[in-house]
Amino acid sequence: MNLKKLSFSIVITILIKFAAIATGLYTAKWTVTYIPSADLANFNTILGYCTSIVTVINFGLPSIIQRFYTTENEPEKDGDFWTTFSILRILTYPIGLILTLVLLPITGVYNPTLAFLMYTMLFILVADLNFRSITDAKGNSWQFSISDFAGKAFIIATLVWFNITQPQYSSLYVLIVGSIMAYILGVVIDALWQKKYYSIGKFDWKIVKENQKSITYFFFINCLIALYASTDKIFLKRYGFDDAIINGYANAYKLFELSVVVIGLTTPMLASFAKKRIDSPSLSNTEIKFKKVFQNLFKKIRDKQVIFYTYFTLNTIIALCCSVLVSILGPFVLRYIDQNNLYPVAFPTLSIL
């Protein structure tokens, strides 16, 4: 894969993802309009809590899968690897569910049904990242973006159906069940789309042992990520902040995550491409131009370091541009989500984030 193909893939991926995000804003607006403030606060609190659990039990399996499929030893023919890690991923579901229900009282929202559904919803979403790992490794992340967009479109269809029919169902549970079905749709699409890259083999415990260090490393890293990124709403609830503040913070956090989402899309693609470039015998024209810049900063720099710094710099530029756009457009988006200004704390919170 050359740099032009990579650039095209990155642009298409980001455009499709932002289209999915645009549809997701309708969902955010719908939640503010149709879900009562107390229910929405419980939803946001349990969402942060279940996100923490799912992040911890992830064990970095998508990253390990991506690393495996990035290598040049025709990994698509190794069905044992895919089968082993898929079964391992499924086995983490009951572990996480037990943790979710046992530790639920710490959230201050003791609603086992809500927690079960939210955990299941997030688990399916993260399970779909296994297929995203393949598309990232192959430089075709736009495929995963399309399946994600299809899921978002399904959620919107569910919410529009709710608005038209006005069934006697809780709006909160309509949103969650619709999201579960949407994520299942995404998994099915990705499974069919990526089937040429994997085959069914047998479970091999030796493969788990070979990756034991990586699994342990990612487990501790994911614990830190969960503590940093997903427990904030729990603290707001536990420290007695009212529902309006929790919901306003959640609205702002949705926009803050946009700048993180783009990095989540571009980093694996650029990392996979850089890995392949490091194994090549010579620098490309773009890398040569960057080398001239880096030589002014470092006395001695090897070609492999040039490649690393080149794609790290490109990713940093993408991150900066996305952050600036979110900062500029964020207040307008918040006004769209919350037209009646029910949760005004979102505006100063977004600036802080």
Side-chain angles (χ1 to χ4, degrees):
M1 179 176 60
N2 56 37
L3 186 57
K4 289 183 179 179
K5 181 182 177 182
L6 175 72
S7 301
F8 176 78
S9 182
I10 288 177
V11 171
I12 294 298
T13 299
I14 293 176
L15 289 177
I16 296 174
K17 187 62 182 179
F18 268 93
I21 289 171
T23 59
L25 293 178
Y26 173 83
T27 303
K29 180 181 178 181
W30 187 92
T31 60
V32 170
T33 305
Y34 290 97
I35 298 180
S37 182
D39 289 344
L40 185 57
N42 291 343
F43 171 86
N44 287 319
T45 302
I46 296 297
L47 176 63
Y49 168 69
C50 290
T51 300
S52 301
I53 300 294
V54 169
T55 301
V56 169
I57 67 165
N58 189 25
F59 297 120
L61 299 184
S63 298
I64 297 173
I65 290 172
Q66 184 203 353
R67 183 180 63 190
F68 181 82
Y69 277 83
T70 302
T71 59
E72 300 294 341
N73 57 355
E74 298 184 354
E76 56 270 22
K77 295 182 179 179
D78 194 337
D80 290 350
F81 177 88
W82 176 258
T83 302
T84 298
F85 273 80
S86 295
I87 292 176
L88 192 62
R89 185 74 188 99
I90 293 173
L91 291 177
T92 63
Y93 176 82
I95 297 174
L97 181 59
I98 292 172
L99 287 174
T100 298
L101 297 178
V102 170
L103 300 178
L104 184 60
I106 69 174
T107 65
V109 182
Y110 192 73
N111 189 331
T113 302
L114 178 62
F116 167 72
L117 290 174
M118 292 284 285
Y119 168 77
T120 302
M121 176 187 74
L122 292 172
F123 183 87
I124 296 171
L125 173 63
V126 175
D128 200 18
L129 297 182
N130 290 357
F131 293 106
R132 171 179 166 178
S133 300
I134 298 178
T135 60
D136 286 340
K138 299 300 178 182
N140 297 320
S141 291
W142 55 271
Q143 294 179 342
F144 180 83
S145 298
I146 289 179
S147 65
D148 179 59
F149 179 79
K152 295 292 193 301
F154 183 89
I155 294 175
I156 288 182
T158 302
L159 301 183
V160 171
W161 165 82
F162 178 88
N163 293 345
I164 294 175
T165 61
Q166 293 294 317
Q168 299 301 314
Y169 303 127
S170 166
S171 55
L172 176 62
Y173 288 106
V174 167
L175 173 64
I176 296 174
V177 174
S179 299
I180 290 175
M181 296 173 66
Y183 293 151
I184 292 175
L185 174 64
V187 172
V188 172
I189 293 175
D190 285 329
L192 294 174
W193 209 331
Q194 305 301 328
K195 62 182 180 180
K196 65 180 179 180
Y197 291 126
Y198 66 89
S199 58
I200 305 301
K202 61 181 181 179
F203 184 87
D204 188 350
W205 188 251
K206 292 182 180 179
I207 295 177
V208 179
K209 287 186 175 181
E210 291 172 358
N211 291 275
Q212 183 178 356
K213 289 184 178 180
S214 296
I215 291 174
T216 303
Y217 166 80
F218 281 115
F219 170 75
F220 285 109
I221 290 296
N222 287 345
C223 287
L224 294 176
I225 292 173
L227 287 172
Y228 168 73
S230 305
T231 56
D232 40 11
K233 302 177 191 70
I234 298 175
F235 286 119
L236 291 176
K237 189 74 174 180
R238 295 297 299 183
Y239 278 97
F241 287 91
D242 61 33
D243 297 336
I245 291 179
I246 294 174
N247 295 333
Y249 179 87
N251 286 343
Y253 201 86
K254 288 184 180 73
L255 296 185
F256 162 72
E257 286 180 320
L258 298 187
S259 56
V260 180
V261 164
V262 173
I263 302 305
L265 290 170
T266 59
T267 299
M269 295 177 66
L270 289 169
S272 298
F273 186 72
K275 170 67 170 58
K276 295 175 182 178
R277 291 294 307 137
I278 286 175
D279 295 333
S280 64
S282 60
L283 297 178
S284 66
N285 292 332
T286 302
E287 291 158 355
I288 290 174
K289 293 178 181 178
F290 272 93
K291 183 176 182 178
K292 294 179 180 178
V293 175
F294 295 138
Q295 283 177 333
N296 295 328
L297 301 175
F298 307 100
K299 292 181 179 180
K300 294 181 180 179
I301 186 168
R302 295 176 297 171
D303 286 352
K304 290 185 178 181
Q305 292 174 311
V306 169
I307 293 172
F308 171 80
Y309 288 128
T310 296
Y311 297 102
F312 179 82
T313 302
L314 290 175
N315 206 35
T316 303
I317 293 172
I318 293 172
L320 180 61
C321 292
C322 182
S323 298
V324 170
L325 284 174
V326 170
S327 299
I328 295 174
L329 300 178
F332 299 99
V333 176
L334 287 175
R335 289 189 181 93
Y336 167 77
I337 293 175
D338 184 10
Q339 293 180 342
N340 295 322
N341 201 29
L342 297 175
Y343 309 117
V345 74
F347 293 91
T349 301
L350 180 61
S351 302
I352 296 171
L353 289 174

